[in-house]
Amino acid sequence: MGQLTGRWMRGALLAPASLLMAGAAWAQEAGITVPEPTVDKGDVTWMMVSTMVVFLMILPGLALFYSGLVRTKNALSVLMQVGTVSVIGMIMWALVGYSLAFTTGPSAFLDQFIGGTARLFLNDAGTDLSDNLVATFSTGIYLPELVFVVFQMTFACITASLVLGGLAERVKFIGVVIFAIVWPVLVYSPMAHMVWWWPGPDLVASGTPAVGGFIWNFGALDFAGGTVVHINSGIAALVGALVLGKRLGYKKEPMPPHSLMMVMIGTGLLWFGWFGFNAGSNLESNYYSVLAMANTFLAPAAAGFAWVLTEWLTRGKASLLGLCSGIVTGLVAVTPAAGFAGPVGAIILGLVAGPICLFACSALKSALGYD
């Protein structure tokens, strides 16, 4: 069957046919039945829709959110930066990133940290949709590899774009271009491989021994990108802010967001796109997709309310910026747990995350002195 892929928590393994055949043979000897690969049109449709919805998070969702937060003179610059990082990210993902993230590494040891060259320039990834498949959570249930490629592409693009929030109003365009080319290859793809790379349900069911990603081997559970996307981009943004230094005039002149209306529109688009982000990460249209969707409603609602309430109690008034910030906080907080937490758990998660992030964005940031 050519090349097959398996995944868990959105990870994938491009296993050679010989390995799959060996696993199937072992399973037959052991009396274990592994289902024949099946592609469901409903799953394929759901993943195509989810991919387009996640793309809406970036353009115009994240672009509007970030652009509204900066001063008027830098608003168009931020829009341009997010757009540029996105288009470069798509090209780099197709040429290099996907292969480094979701194929077998050059050796058993390196396979824990980085993928190989099997899919450079998307070699064979979409030439025969009946022969190139990726596995879902369930044994025997597969998707065309190309839909997995483009779904993952949107994640790579938004992760790099998220970093721009920490660099806003202080980075040159050439720096953004270099970052968009280099950072996803050196950081994002290896991190995706370490967290999401695993043998796949069919190989696990057959009992075939195989190596997963370095962080996956520790038992990491990252349903839709809490580590790969948010912690990864957040640390990069913080490091970038520290390296570049504070904006000129920081704490010496007012720097309020120039358009809370843009921030609110961006927040709504981010929230809408996050349903594809979280529910699409199940790779199947079933109960767990519904659970992820429900949690993507409830956690940001709870975090938005908690942020507003905390502002009201501590500062005497609530703000639209606080509501938007709280909603995004809840979306980020629930992402790694979207397919695991129950609805009430998602509410509790949001109620806890909102005040913590308000403290981090106000008191903690002021105490540490970074911009």
Side-chain angles (χ1 to χ4, degrees):
M1 184 173 287
Q3 296 262 350
L4 296 180
T5 59
R7 50 85 58 194
W8 187 73
M9 301 308 124
R10 269 187 63 252
L13 173 60
L14 281 171
S18 58
L19 181 57
L20 289 162
M21 292 172 64
W26 185 94
Q28 288 181 351
E29 293 178 2
I32 300 172
T33 302
V34 178
E36 287 294 320
T38 301
V39 177
D40 184 271
K41 290 183 179 180
D43 293 337
V44 175
T45 302
W46 168 239
M47 291 310 301
M48 292 174 66
V49 171
S50 295
T51 300
M52 292 182 286
V53 169
V54 175
F55 175 71
L56 191 68
M57 293 176 66
I58 316 169
L59 297 174
L62 184 67
L64 288 173
F65 183 80
Y66 277 171
S67 181
L69 288 172
V70 300
R71 291 170 286 181
T72 303
K73 64 179 182 178
N74 295 312
L76 292 180
S77 174
V78 171
L79 291 174
M80 178 65 173
Q81 290 173 18
V82 174
T84 300
V85 167
S86 298
V87 297
I88 292 176
M90 293 176 192
I91 297 170
M92 292 301 298
W93 182 253
L95 297 181
V96 181
Y98 176 72
S99 189
L100 295 180
F102 294 114
T103 66
T104 304
S107 69
F109 174 76
L110 291 177
D111 190 35
Q112 300 178 78
F113 305 98
I114 191 69
T117 61
R119 288 294 189 261
L120 289 181
F121 301 94
L122 293 186
N123 177 47
D124 290 334
T127 54
D128 186 348
L129 296 182
S130 66
D131 198 45
N132 294 280
L133 305 173
V134 295
T136 61
F137 281 127
S138 306
T139 55
I141 306 300
Y142 287 77
L143 293 168
E145 184 178 1
L146 198 56
V147 74
F148 182 74
V149 171
V150 293
F151 181 69
Q152 292 285 357
M153 180 179 68
T154 60
F155 278 68
C157 290
I158 197 169
T159 304
S161 298
L162 285 169
V163 180
L164 297 174
L167 318 179
E169 302 190 301
R170 74 200 85 171
V171 61
K172 293 183 177 180
F173 183 70
I174 183 61
V176 171
V177 172
I178 294 173
F179 166 81
I181 296 172
V182 175
W183 187 83
V185 174
L186 297 183
V187 179
Y188 179 81
S189 291
M191 182 60 70
H193 189 87
M194 286 189 284
V195 175
W196 285 330
W197 184 251
W198 82 300
D202 286 4
L203 290 181
V204 170
S206 71
T208 305
V211 177
F214 181 74
I215 298 176
W216 182 87
N217 288 334
F218 282 101
L221 300 179
D222 186 357
F223 189 82
T227 300
V228 178
V229 177
H230 299 127
I231 294 176
N232 198 12
S233 62
I235 291 176
L238 177 59
V239 171
L242 295 175
V243 170
L244 293 174
K246 301 175 183 178
R247 289 169 289 177
L248 295 177
Y250 181 68
K251 289 195 172 180
K252 295 180 181 178
E253 58 184 77
M255 295 184 179
H258 91 279
S259 176
L260 288 178
M261 185 176 295
M262 290 179 65
V263 173
M264 183 61 178
I265 295 172
T267 301
L269 290 169
L270 282 169
W271 197 347
F272 176 75
W274 227 289
F275 291 110
F277 197 91
N278 285 349
S281 290
N282 188 55
L283 295 188
E284 298 174 72
S285 181
N286 58 23
Y287 168 77
Y288 291 101
S289 300
V290 177
L291 176 63
M293 180 187 70
N295 289 338
T296 306
F297 273 114
L298 295 173
F305 172 74
W307 190 302
V308 167
L309 181 62
T310 304
E311 275 189 333
W312 190 14
L313 294 175
T314 58
R315 301 177 182 178
K317 62 177 181 179
S319 68
L320 177 59
L321 180 59
L323 175 62
C324 293
S325 300
I327 289 171
V328 174
T329 292
L331 289 168
V332 171
V334 79
T335 292
F340 305 128
V344 174
I347 293 174
I348 295 172
L349 182 62
L351 292 174
V352 172
I356 291 176
C357 288
L358 172 58
F359 170 78
C361 289
S362 54
L364 182 60
K365 185 169 72 172
S366 297
L368 296 177
Y370 62 86
D371 175 18

